[in-house]
């Protein structure tokens, strides 16, 4: 990947963020009437559902706060607007997204914040934590810092000790999922940056250890999404189902931890996870990342297994770029080009901007919407920002090549 | 639809049932070791998951019992085998599929019957009720009849008064779903036939009334899958999502109720539901029935909305044939030919028999499996048996044309 190509990519990611994706959401998603954000948008930005997903409220708030704290954007004239919108999002979270009965967060609320649904898991809390953290940083606010710490603690406590009477499954076949340690790493990384969370490294270490011990299977070169409580492969539909894009998201969290700590072992670990899951998820027939695959190549039970979703592509674009910049291994530059090119050929909406979210295996559009309870201003703008920053750091020699290109 | 074509269809449905679909499941799905049925089968019948879905245990038991009670099969040499297998299935249900703590049924158990998951709704109970009912009829067994009645009562009680502390949603936006009245109609019809359930007609009347009052929207010609508790359209993703195959399944339950009662109003009601939902679900571009569509033609949130599943095709084949035979309206013969031909072009597995379950919108295979927690020996063999019986009745002039071809 020569300098000219890196400059070309820098422009794509920076301009994509600032001139396409951010304006799409700040123009169409801000609810000036009831607060928070309306992220269920049709192709052209028309609101098609006024309900609000709590994940998206928190994630957009995080993104806006992150932009206000970004060195590269210190002098951007929109900085005050982003800060104002981040406070707008945080206000909605604080006012409407917590259940006073138990302090937990909702998952889905009405436009004016009446609760529709709470879920058994606590990812709303993890996203609220990083949102509050950015506001604490940008405003030097102890109050937001306390909210961030409290939301993180609730995420951890609820995930480790979920109420038994709300369990989805019996205790006959206890499982552990990649989601909890993976999201814990990123949440703690964000809170270490934003509020200097003291326990961040401890939780990151513990989470990486758990992923290595329970989810990585060197003998079959695979990162398992769900395993038994002792790390065994569960040879049933759910246990065999791999989520390559999810594991690859975890891979770059760990690579960047390696960069932060100048720890080549962690960079190698992240690259190994990427290597394995690229082989498991890349679609050699049509290109792009498959959503689910089976560890033993058996049929998958989830109906949408072979669709192409936007977010695994965002995560794989980040992971391959980070792997290349951290190791110099040309293989990762080639993979980055493959997934970047496939994504940019199929996902962007040339007419109204932003990306479509849901394509068929061959890249044809399945549904034209830009947002819903699951898709909002998060994976794509985070990719654009993260890749832009990685490339800028590299151009200024701030990305230490933690590993040389010596891996087998 | 001339006599020769009806005879041709009769052979397809009868032979498909007796020479293809039934042998596939009786050969591959019977668990001689741990009891019950292994329905998670790969294309060639290989077991790919030993877990057992309670729905499939009950539905296969029902099917086998139904065959033993079928006049057309009174002299079939396999009748004793079907009876033995029906008892085999009922034994597993009785021994392993009830939670002793509350009397409710599980949804998903291990091979040897340890519980994995219970669901908030009680459809396991409805399928167990009709399974026990067939055994009660064929064995003249009061014990099985009592089990059938009890399971029906539990299905009704749990569905009408679900425990508030297990609710998935808050009470901010109460809803009613088509599933409960629709399945109640069929369950009560089955139990009226098998055990002479006294309250059957009362529940059928009440369910049809509920469907008419709350779910049918004449102004927009639509059967809504989910409405508010007062029958209003809920203008959010879930409320707008239509399930045409499901509504069409309900349509033929109501048509056959009209035939049973010689009530032309009910036949017309079922035909109206079919008319509306054919327009909503038939894919004019690729053919076949779409899985989900939006009442206002907005994007659907469920990822697999435009896939072609086997069961909506089974239900639409039954409904269009019943509508034609009950009304003589050639429109239904044409629709029947469209859906029959599309289905038989894409779903059957020419190599190992049975049907595939999950196709892409254009008819290409998504996954080759024959069974999982959701797909088992039910919709397809029920279609084959029901259509065969409808055609035999018609050939022997036992299908009263309840309506003349006079509808607009």
């Amino acid at each position: 990947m020569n300098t000219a190509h890196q400059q070309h990519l820098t422009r794509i990611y920076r301009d994509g963020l600032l001139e396409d994706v951010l304006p799409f959401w700040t123009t169409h998603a801000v609810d000036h009437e009831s607060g928070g954000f309306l992220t269920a948008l049709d192709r052209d930005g028309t609101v098609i559902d006024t309900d609000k997903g709590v994940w998206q409220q928190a994630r957009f708030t995080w993104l806006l706060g992150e932009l206000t704290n970004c060195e590269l954007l210190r002098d951007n004239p929109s900085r005050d607007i982003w800060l104002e919108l981040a406070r707008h999002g945080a206000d909605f979270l604080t006012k409407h997204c917590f259940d006073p009965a138990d302090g937990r967060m909702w998952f889905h609320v009405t436009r004016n914040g009446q609760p529709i649904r709470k879920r058994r898991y606590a990812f709303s809390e993890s996203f609220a934590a990083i949102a509050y953290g950015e506001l604490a940083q940008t405003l030097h606010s102890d109050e937001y810092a306390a909210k961030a710490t409290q939301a993180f603690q609730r995420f951890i406590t609820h995930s480790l000790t979920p109420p038994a009477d709300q369990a989805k499954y019996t205790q006959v076949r206890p499982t552990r999922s990649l989601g909890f340690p993976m999201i814990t790493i990123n949440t703690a990384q964000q809170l270490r940056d934003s509020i200097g969370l003291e326990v961040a490294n401890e939780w990151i270490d513990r989470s990486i250890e758990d992923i290595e011990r329970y989810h990585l299977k060197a003998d079959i070169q695979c990162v398992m999404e769900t395993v038994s409580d002792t790390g065994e492969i569960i040879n049933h539909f759910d246990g065999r189902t791999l989520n390559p894009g999810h594991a690859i998201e975890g891979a770059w969290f760990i690579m960047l931890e390696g960069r932060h700590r100048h720890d080549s072992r962690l960079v190698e670990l992240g690259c190994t996870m990427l290597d394995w899951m690229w082989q498991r998820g890349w679609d050699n027939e049509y290109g792009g990342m498959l959503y689910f695959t089976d560890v033993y190549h058996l049929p998958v039970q989830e109906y949408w297994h072979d669709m192409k979703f936007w977010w695994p592509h965002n995560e794989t674009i980040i992971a391959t770029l980070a792997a290349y910049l951290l190791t110099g291994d040309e293989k990762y530059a080639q993979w980055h080009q493959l997934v970047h090119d496939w994504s940019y050929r199929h996902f962007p909406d040339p007419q109204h901007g932003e990306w479509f979210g849901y394509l068929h295996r061959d890249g044809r559009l399945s549904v034209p919407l830009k947002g819903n309870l699951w898709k909002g201003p998060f994976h794509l703008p985070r990719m654009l920002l993260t890749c832009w920053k990685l490339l800028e750091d590299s151009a200024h020699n701030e990305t230490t090549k933690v590993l040389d290109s010596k891996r087998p």
Side-chain angles (χ1 to χ4, degrees), chain A:
Chain A
M1 196 185 281
N2 61 30
T3 307
H5 188 59
Q6 292 196 29
Q7 288 171 347
H8 168 71
L9 290 173
T10 302
R11 284 191 296 275
I12 288 176
Y13 297 137
R14 181 195 61 208
D15 297 350
L17 176 68
L18 298 176
E19 293 170 22
D20 172 7
V21 174
L22 255 184
F24 183 88
W25 294 101
T26 54
T27 302
H28 299 298
V30 181
D31 187 350
H32 296 289
E33 195 175 306
S34 304
F37 306 115
L38 296 157
T39 66
L41 304 180
D42 208 346
R43 180 177 176 181
D44 63 358
T46 306
V47 174
I48 51 177
D49 193 337
T50 55
D51 281 356
K52 289 167 179 166
V54 174
W55 288 20
Q56 305 311 331
Q57 305 302 306
R59 286 166 153 192
F60 197 14
T61 302
W62 168 82
L63 175 71
L64 292 157
E66 175 84 356
L67 295 175
T68 68
N69 289 315
C70 177
E71 275 302 303
L72 289 170
L73 294 163
R74 203 172 32 192
D75 302 320
N76 191 292
S78 295
R79 204 176 160 281
D80 288 348
I81 295 172
W82 299 333
L83 177 57
E84 187 194 326
L85 290 178
R87 297 178 83 144
H88 173 90
D91 284 351
F92 191 86
L93 284 176
T94 304
K95 276 190 203 145
H96 300 299
C97 298
F98 288 84
D99 180 357
D102 61 4
R104 286 209 49 227
M105 294 189 77
W106 305 108
F107 171 74
H108 176 174
V109 300
T110 64
R111 180 171 188 177
N112 61 12
Q114 291 180 283
I116 296 289
R117 187 176 176 196
K118 191 190 288 173
R119 297 199 72 156
R120 293 169 170 120
Y121 49 73
F123 293 114
S124 292
E125 284 81 346
S126 74
F127 301 128
I130 62 174
Y132 286 135
E134 296 303 324
L135 276 165
Q137 181 181 358
T138 200
L139 296 171
H140 310 286
S141 158
D142 291 342
E143 192 186 330
Y144 276 124
K147 283 182 190 294
T149 306
Q150 189 177 45
F152 178 72
Q153 198 50 56
R154 279 176 176 151
F155 162 63
I156 294 287
T157 304
H158 185 81
S159 301
L160 291 180
T161 54
D165 63 346
Q166 293 168 25
K168 183 169 177 177
Y169 296 99
T170 66
Q171 278 306 301
V172 165
R173 188 185 290 153
T175 60
R176 49 170 73 233
S177 296
L178 187 62
F180 172 60
M182 205 194 91
I183 297 296
T184 300
I185 294 171
N186 187 246
T187 306
Q189 287 171 329
Q190 290 291 326
L191 293 177
R192 182 176 60 195
D193 284 1
S194 61
I195 62 168
L197 183 75
E198 284 186 16
V199 294
N201 282 1
E202 186 185 313
W203 279 106
I204 292 169
D205 289 342
R206 176 174 168 168
S207 300
I208 294 175
E209 274 173 39
D210 280 357
I211 290 173
E212 282 196 84
R213 178 177 308 146
Y214 298 112
H215 294 272
L216 263 65
K217 304 294 166 198
D219 54 339
I220 55 168
Q221 304 211 335
C222 193
V223 183
M224 302 302 298
E225 186 70 19
T226 308
V227 288
S228 80
D229 56 345
T230 53
E232 303 296 313
I233 292 179
I234 301 171
N235 193 3
H236 297 281
F237 281 121
D238 291 347
R240 289 197 305 261
T241 303
L242 308 177
N243 189 330
H246 204 225
I248 287 172
E249 184 180 2
W252 72 257
F253 294 165
I254 294 173
M255 286 181 216
L256 294 198
E257 190 63 20
R259 182 176 81 152
H260 177 83
R261 299 185 187 191
H262 303 284
D263 181 341
S264 64
R265 197 192 72 81
L266 290 184
V267 174
E268 278 204 64
L269 174 62
C271 288
T272 298
M273 291 170 66
L274 170 60
D275 290 348
W276 293 352
M277 299 315 281
W278 175 276
Q279 299 301 339
R280 297 280 181 171
W282 181 257
D283 183 349
N284 285 311
E285 191 172 346
Y286 290 96
M289 294 297 294
L290 295 162
Y291 197 90
F292 290 126
T293 58
D294 184 280
V295 63
Y296 301 137
H297 309 289
L298 290 168
V300 175
Q301 184 165 248
E302 303 301 328
Y303 314 138
W304 60 96
H305 65 107
D306 67 357
M307 288 179 70
K308 304 289 164 62
F309 280 34
W310 83 106
W311 70 262
H313 294 79
N314 296 146
E315 303 310 325
T316 307
I317 286 172
I318 299 174
T320 49
L321 184 64
Y324 172 69
L325 295 174
L326 290 168
T327 69
D329 188 336
E330 277 296 328
K331 171 182 76 175
Y332 296 122
Q334 287 162 19
W335 288 358
H336 178 267
Q337 183 149 9
L338 278 172
V339 66
H340 174 99
D341 287 354
W342 198 92
S343 300
Y344 275 86
R345 193 155 60 242
H346 293 100
F347 283 106
D349 177 358
Q351 192 175 348
H352 298 284
E354 241 279 331
W355 281 19
F356 298 117
Y358 304 90
L359 308 181
H360 292 295
R361 184 174 176 187
D362 57 7
R364 279 176 307 124
L365 190 62
S366 166
V367 73
L369 54 69
K370 296 289 169 57
N372 55 26
L373 277 179
W374 312 101
K375 183 174 188 291
F378 184 65
H379 289 279
L380 174 57
R382 184 175 72 170
M383 174 200 96
L384 297 168
L385 179 63
T386 305
C387 289
W388 176 27
K389 288 203 290 191
L390 284 169
L391 288 162
E392 290 284 354
D393 289 351
S394 169
H396 298 88
N397 295 313
E398 286 164 20
T399 300
T400 314
K401 243 180 228 170
V402 179
L403 282 184
D404 291 315
S405 176
K406 66 183 179 195
R407 302 174 58 248

